[in-house]
Amino acid sequence: MKKIIIFSVFILFVASGVFAQAALHQNQYFQRSVEFERLSQQAFDRGEYGLATEHAIKSQEYAALSRQFIAEQVLAFRARTTLNAARERMQVADRLNIQNRDRELYAEASRHFRDANTKFNARDFESSIVDSQRVLALLQDIAPAPRETPATAVTPPPTTTATGVTLAAYYEVKLNVQRRDSLWRIAGFDFVYGDPFKWPHLFEANRHTFPQPDNPNLILPGMILRIPSLQGEVRSGTR
């Protein structure tokens, strides 16, 4: 009897750690694990140690399923986010006419993008992420084609700030977990406007490319933002 009591207490102790980890995630497996933990505690309090052990083991089994469910949800979120970034990059490639400028590059990127979609729909999230990342890698250096100018025309040099920083014409949204990009933060860069309060200019110039055109807060890594000139300043390159 003493061994059963000790074993039951041990099971409940281990299970409690599992529940503490899963408490932030509400799913059917977590709910069942909590219910069996409650039943185990009640049986233990009544002195029904065998039943308490059975419920505690059940609780652990559902807690394991809960962890598996959560891991799948996290992986699905990563796959969806990476796929959206790849979709945005393909849209940028279309706007920059990459299909006609580099057919082989565009064809390979398109193939990986189709595979990423197919695998995501089949819930093969890991493989979908690999294909989406391949799209981003292939198209990471795309830029607008240089404009043709008459031979007699003089191209003015890019405008620079007081500290000698060249003003950029485009900005690629970065993936930064510590401090994610936002229009406010981007507008504040010295090579953009040096003033975060000017973020609406970025929004109006690029909202047609946003996943949600009326939501300035939703920008994705890999998006290429056009930086409109406000006072005729000459801008060049992508940052």
Side-chain angles (χ1 to χ4, degrees):
M1 177 63 70
K2 183 178 294 185
K3 290 182 179 180
I4 293 178
I5 295 175
I6 294 174
F7 180 68
S8 299
V9 173
F10 172 76
I11 290 294
L12 288 171
F13 176 77
V14 173
S16 65
V18 173
F19 299 142
Q21 285 186 324
L24 297 179
H25 305 277
Q26 299 299 320
N27 58 63
Q28 59 175 327
Y29 303 113
F30 174 64
Q31 295 296 335
R32 295 299 300 276
S33 68
V34 171
E35 176 62 17
F36 274 106
E37 181 195 28
R38 185 182 65 81
L39 293 175
S40 178
Q41 183 64 56
Q42 290 178 349
F44 185 83
D45 292 341
R46 294 193 303 267
E48 300 175 0
Y49 304 120
L51 183 59
T53 300
E54 293 177 10
H55 287 328
I57 293 174
K58 262 308 190 190
S59 176
Q60 278 195 305
E61 291 174 352
Y62 278 110
L65 290 173
S66 176
R67 290 195 302 271
Q68 181 180 346
F69 174 80
I70 293 167
E72 290 175 353
Q73 294 301 304
V74 171
L75 186 61
F77 175 79
R78 285 184 53 208
R80 185 181 302 107
T81 300
T82 313
L83 182 60
N84 285 338
R87 179 179 295 106
E88 170 62 23
R89 183 52 62 90
M90 289 298 300
Q91 292 171 351
V92 171
D94 289 336
R95 291 198 300 273
L96 298 180
N97 197 28
I98 301 300
Q99 183 174 9
N100 293 325
R101 291 165 52 192
D102 192 333
R103 292 180 179 274
E104 184 176 346
L105 174 66
Y106 186 87
E108 185 176 359
S110 297
R111 177 173 59 81
H112 282 290
F113 182 63
R114 288 194 299 270
D115 289 345
N117 272 288
T118 300
K119 292 171 182 177
F120 181 85
N121 292 331
R123 302 186 66 81
D124 185 1
F125 298 128
E126 290 187 0
S127 298
S128 177
I129 290 173
V130 171
D131 279 299
S132 293
Q133 290 175 336
R134 184 58 180 159
V135 173
L136 296 174
L138 287 168
L139 300 180
Q140 65 177 343
D141 295 325
I142 59 175
R147 296 181 179 179
E148 295 182 2
T149 57
T152 57
V154 177
T155 302
T159 305
T160 59
T161 65
T163 58
V165 177
T166 300
L167 296 183
Y170 296 88
Y171 178 81
E172 179 178 359
V173 179
K174 306 298 190 299
L175 177 59
N176 189 332
V177 178
Q178 300 295 331
R179 188 181 180 189
R180 65 182 296 272
D181 271 346
S182 65
L183 296 184
W184 169 274
R185 180 166 178 258
I186 294 169
F189 290 142
D190 55 357
F191 57 82
V192 180
Y193 295 131
D195 182 355
F197 286 98
K198 293 182 178 179
W199 69 265
H201 296 289
L202 295 176
F203 179 50
E204 291 302 326
N206 297 279
R207 64 187 304 166
H208 64 284
T209 69
F210 282 27
Q212 298 176 5
D214 294 328
N215 183 2
N217 297 314
L218 181 58
I219 58 176
L220 302 174
M223 290 176 60
I224 304 296
L225 302 180
R226 183 174 68 85
I227 307 172
S229 298
L230 301 184
Q231 298 178 341
E233 68 271 19
V234 179
R235 295 177 170 274
S236 176
T238 303
R239 294 292 291 269

